[in-house]
Amino acid sequence: MCILCDTGNPQNHFASRRNFLKTAAATGAVAAGANLFAARPVAADFHNNNMPQDTGKPNRRYVIRGGSVMSMDPHVGDFAQADVLVEGKKILSVGPNIHAGTADVIDATGRIVMPGFIDTHHHQFETALRGFLADGVLINDGSGSPSGSTTYYEYVLLKFATVYRPQDVYINELFGGLSQLDDGVTTVHDISQIHHSPQHSDAAVQALFDTGRRAALGYFESAGGVPGNQYPQDAFRIKQKWFSSSDQLVHMIMGGEVYLGPPTYTQSWQIGRQLGLQIAAHILSPFGIRPILDLLAQGQGGVNKNIGLGPDNLFVHMTGMSDLGWQGVKNAGAQVSLAVPIEMNMRHGMPPILKMQSLGMEPSLSVDVEVTLTADFFTQMRSMMNMQRVLVNQMILDQGLPPNPVDWGLPPAAAANPWPTPPAGLPAPLTTRDVLRYATMNGAKALRLDHKVGSLTPGKEADIIILDATRINVAPLNQVPGAVVSLMDRTNVETVIVAGKVRKWKGRLLDIDLPALRRQLEASRDFVFNAAGIPQDLFRSN
């Protein structure tokens, strides 16, 4: 913590970083790299023996040899022991005993080789606020309880977010992205509701590029409506400046929150469709969203009652929506992202996995906010699986008993079925394979990237993670999907590859100065707390 900031004298912690921001205040663009990503010798204890060189560059080949390969592509299949051949940024071949000539070799013996995880909804600008809202819910409920008083809407969006400077946006986005890269999450949809100015927007985009993983910038509103913000019109400038090419790691999604009111969301949806962008929005129980989605499902949304749903929509949460709204989402071919741990903890509503299954739909997975819970993707998969299974299992156990005061959505004909027969029409309990699909291929589909990533398919780009199954929390390996979902955590993520380039090797991220980054994040935290007038209390109880 910064003592001077705490006493009401905020300091410019970034002045010593000569290249952190360009000096021209008119642009506010973040200097790429900022000397934190310069190539540097790997420490002697880094165990970098046989690390392939120049990975990701054209014509450079290496083979990942001898691992348990889970391709997530039913046409490719899975292999107890096989190889993955990579050239440049693409996968050339998957299978046993690949002849790779003089290609460098990554020894994957005792490892699991699979596609990287894909996070379809993450507010990375909040990284410096990690854990602040561990006990809180979404909106103040007037109860006076710790959960109901220090809430996300009041504190994070209306107090903290409004004081962010461009340099705060940059370091928060960067550090959060690198943390997930370390966890094996190779792609993110970053919903950055922090677009107070073009400088804030440019800082967010620059950080996504500098992180070196695949990403979608979610161009959403200025949280708290900071005066001078140029949302949504600045989408045209951002698209032209940063996203003129479709052959890069970062692309753009248009944010279109319907709770901002018909004039704003009509404009944002029209701009998104004019630019050919996906349109994303939080759709959840609070904020009076159900009737708005019903109108959109009937093609009667917006100012002129002519805005409707489409395959370009990506909706987050989808809690508490009507059958009409759900049918509209399905018929339109829209995508749905569920953030199960957050939805359960922060009172967003029951995660609607059973509803999706009843409609023949599947979600992608997302972490939402680290102010409350971890961005670890092993946690996301386990939470999804456990939440769905507790509902299904309780429905089965309730058979033949008097009606449960909790409405489990039990089909009417099921009452005649004796326990333990599952009621007619009830989805089967989710499996580890199901949630792995949600975390990989479904995430790629949700972000329109399934032609590039999401599976280990020859011709796709090489977004690959290598997981250590010899570690004490997993060994001995008995079942690959079960080991990944039910046993592993970030300590098992040994190597991470994005577009063929090795970004993490033998347990460490490459080419970053982590202590310097951490100091910058801590300085940003000190400034944001001070500027927002919130005391830094490590044992906060409400």
Side-chain angles (χ1 to χ4, degrees), residues 6-41:
D6 290 348
T7 57
N9 297 289
Q11 302 297 296
N12 179 9
H13 299 279
F14 300 91
S16 62
R17 297 251 328 257
R18 181 178 55 188
N19 294 324
F20 186 80
L21 292 175
K22 291 183 179 178
T23 56
T27 63
V30 178
N35 291 330
L36 295 171
F37 298 90
R40 52 179 53 84

Side-chain angles (χ1 to χ4, degrees), residues 394 398 401-408 410:
Q394 189 63 48
D398 281 350
L401 299 173
N404 195 304
V406 176
D407 178 11
W408 297 108
L410 208 58

Side-chain angles (χ1 to χ4, degrees), residues 138-139 259 282-290 319-321 346-349:
L138 189 63
I139 304 170
Y259 58 73
H282 293 86
I283 304 293
L284 63 162
S285 297
F287 304 117
I289 292 177
R290 180 191 283 204
T319 57
M321 295 301 109
M346 292 182 67
R347 203 175 294 164
H348 290 61

